[in-house]
Amino acid sequence: MPDALKTELLTLVSEAPDLAALEEVRVAALGKKGRITGLMKELGGLSPEERRERGAALNALKDEIAAAIDARKTELHAAHLAARLEAERVDVTLPVRPEPRGRIHPISQTVDELVAIFAEMGFAVAEGPDVEDDFHNFTALNFPPGHPARDMHDTFYLPDTADGRRMLLRTHTSPVQVRTMMSVKPPIRIIAPGRTYRSDYDMTHTPMFHQVEGLVIDEATHMGHLKGCLIDFCRAFFDVDDLPLRFRPSFFPFTEPSAEVDIGCSRKGGELKLGNYGDWLEILGCGMVHPNVLEACGIDSTRYQGFAFGMGIERIAMLKYGIPDLRTFFEADLRWLKHYGFVPLDIPSPAHGLTR
Ligand code: PHE
């Protein structure tokens, strides 16, 4: 009888498909109401002689079954682990996360960089409409009607409004200066990035392009502040610590004195490099805000003064990122965007670097 039982139990143990089934076999054999336990209980009714013999046999059987269960348990554990390892296998050569496919356009990235740098200097961001009137785009900026400097702007004019205002697409971001001075009291410290429009199209001009305007108005703001601000900005933006700047006298109706700013570069071997190499490249216009402009905006020019600057965003983006043709910015070619665009999580900040 124990031999038949042993064979039966050992078969059940070895054929238990999983840990739960194995536990059932254990309970059925060795549990309180198990078959071996039941046989043990019957020993009391036997003669001492028989009891010893049968008891020894049952104990041996019990030990053997317990050992077989342990062995099967180890086997099932190992099989379970192997199956998990197989199912959960990771390919460690895969990228940590899939590369995002969308790209940030270099203009957007450059605007974010400008904002990051000027925000650290205490500038706020201001905005104005693309469709402007003649007053904000020209007259308030000290371009009187008929002034020859108006002709240099290749303006897109729109139909007059019902009340006879002359409308146009803004030719520069300087009208945002006017709107800001007319609506907030000094001290003023703003930049105004945005779209601008001129009727022109060739290698270096597109009818729509972007500028960023800067304006600082306070009681004691002077040309030295203008220079320091632009030197700091250019060195941070182009990431060249000793980048030299040259301020050349120039003319804008809305600033006096006015200057154009060149940065140091080299054009050796047809390759443009920024730095202290003896050659120069023009990048922006600036000057002290003309008293006529302050007065046109309702600011007392005997008490307040300040500076303004403006530059083309495409131009500085092309210089920084080595983009050769302005027109490609607006062709919406996905291959171009994939090449020159930025990964969405590359958020510029002076702390962790402005470039990728
Ligand atoms: N608005 C000028 C332009 O478009 C640039 C500029 C802005 C110059 C502010 C001086 C001060 O040419």
Side-chain angles (χ1 to χ4, degrees), residues 109 113 116 236 239 320 346-356:
Q109 183 80 7
E113 294 176 10
D239 202 13
K320 181 166 179 175
D346 271 356
I347 298 164
S349 89
H352 87 337
L354 292 163
T355 44
R356 47 185 128 187

Side-chain angles (χ1 to χ4, degrees), residues 188-210:
I188 293 169
R189 206 182 284 174
I190 55 120
I191 58 165
R195 293 195 175 106
T196 48
Y197 306 83
R198 292 186 198 183
S199 178
D200 209 349
Y201 187 72
D202 60 32
M203 265 285 280
T204 53
H205 297 89
T206 50
M208 191 279 293
F209 58 105
H210 298 76

Side-chain angles (χ1 to χ4, degrees), residues 169-185:
L169 294 177
R170 67 179 178 190
T171 59
H172 51 177
T173 41
S174 300
V176 184
Q177 282 188 38
V178 175
R179 290 182 177 276
T180 305
M181 287 190 276
M182 292 181 87
S183 60
V184 294
K185 286 207 172 74

Side-chain angles (χ1 to χ4, degrees), residues 113 117-118 120-121 229-241 243 320 350 353-355:
E113 294 176 10
I117 297 172
F118 282 110
E120 278 237 317
M121 296 191 206
C229 174
L230 291 177
I231 290 169
D232 275 1
F233 163 71
C234 289
R235 290 182 177 172
F237 180 79
F238 293 110
D239 202 13
V240 180
D241 288 344
L243 185 68
K320 181 166 179 175
L354 292 163
T355 44

Side-chain angles (χ1 to χ4, degrees), residues 14-270:
S14 69
E15 286 177 356
D18 54 38
L19 290 167
L22 185 62
E23 178 61 10
E24 270 174 36
V25 175
R26 189 190 67 77
V27 171
L30 305 172
K32 261 191 211 144
K33 293 180 184 156
R35 291 165 73 185
I36 295 180
T37 318
L39 290 174
M40 294 276 208
K41 282 180 187 153
E42 286 168 15
L43 288 175
L46 299 177
S47 69
E49 188 79 346
E50 280 175 315
R51 192 189 306 157
R52 196 177 313 121
E53 205 175 297
R54 185 136 168 104
L58 281 176
N59 267 328
L61 173 62
K62 187 178 134 190
D63 289 347
E64 198 174 335
I65 297 301
I69 288 175
D70 273 351
R72 179 67 183 150
K73 201 181 261 181
T74 310
E75 215 174 272
L76 285 174
H77 267 303
H80 177 68
L81 183 62
R84 253 187 85 179
L85 287 173
E86 181 66 25
E88 296 176 9
R89 185 159 50 180
V90 285
D91 181 350
V92 294
T93 66
L94 286 173
V96 180
R97 44 167 124 81
E99 198 187 343
R101 293 219 270 157
R103 285 289 185 280
I104 303 293
H105 195 281
I107 291 294
S108 304
Q109 183 80 7
T110 304
V111 168
D112 287 350
E113 294 176 10
L114 292 165
V115 170
I117 297 172
F118 282 110
E120 278 237 317
M121 296 191 206
F123 284 73
V125 175
E127 289 185 308
D130 290 16
V131 175
E132 264 297 2
D133 55 23
D134 189 274
F135 173 77
H136 290 92
N137 196 82
F138 290 126
T139 309
L141 288 164
N142 200 30
F143 294 78
H147 191 287
R150 288 183 173 225
D151 299 340
M152 291 165 54
H153 279 220
D154 301 309
T155 311
F156 285 114
Y157 285 100
L158 300 167
D160 291 357
T161 59
D163 56 4
R165 275 193 304 152
R166 189 156 207 213
M167 302 303 286
L168 46 82
L169 294 177
R170 67 179 178 190
T171 59
H172 51 177
T173 41
S174 300
V176 184
Q177 282 188 38
V178 175
R179 290 182 177 276
T180 305
M181 287 190 276
M182 292 181 87
S183 60
V184 294
K185 286 207 172 74
I188 293 169
R189 206 182 284 174
I190 55 120
I191 58 165
R195 293 195 175 106
T196 48
Y197 306 83
R198 292 186 198 183
S199 178
D200 209 349
Y201 187 72
D202 60 32
M203 265 285 280
T204 53
H205 297 89
T206 50
M208 191 279 293
F209 58 105
H210 298 76
Q211 283 190 346
V212 59
E213 191 81 9
L215 175 70
V216 175
I217 302 288
D218 207 340
E219 293 188 21
T221 302
H222 55 67
M223 192 89 186
H225 296 134
L226 164 62
K227 290 183 73 172
C229 174
L230 291 177
I231 290 169
D232 275 1
F233 163 71
C234 289
R235 290 182 177 172
F237 180 79
F238 293 110
D239 202 13
V240 180
D241 288 344
D242 62 347
L243 185 68
L245 268 71
R246 181 170 77 171
F247 289 74
R248 254 186 310 105
S250 183
F251 173 81
F252 301 101
F254 38 95
T255 47
E256 180 58 37
S258 303
E260 272 169 329
V261 175
D262 302 333
I263 53 176
C265 72
S266 149
R267 293 182 170 88
K268 264 210 198 88

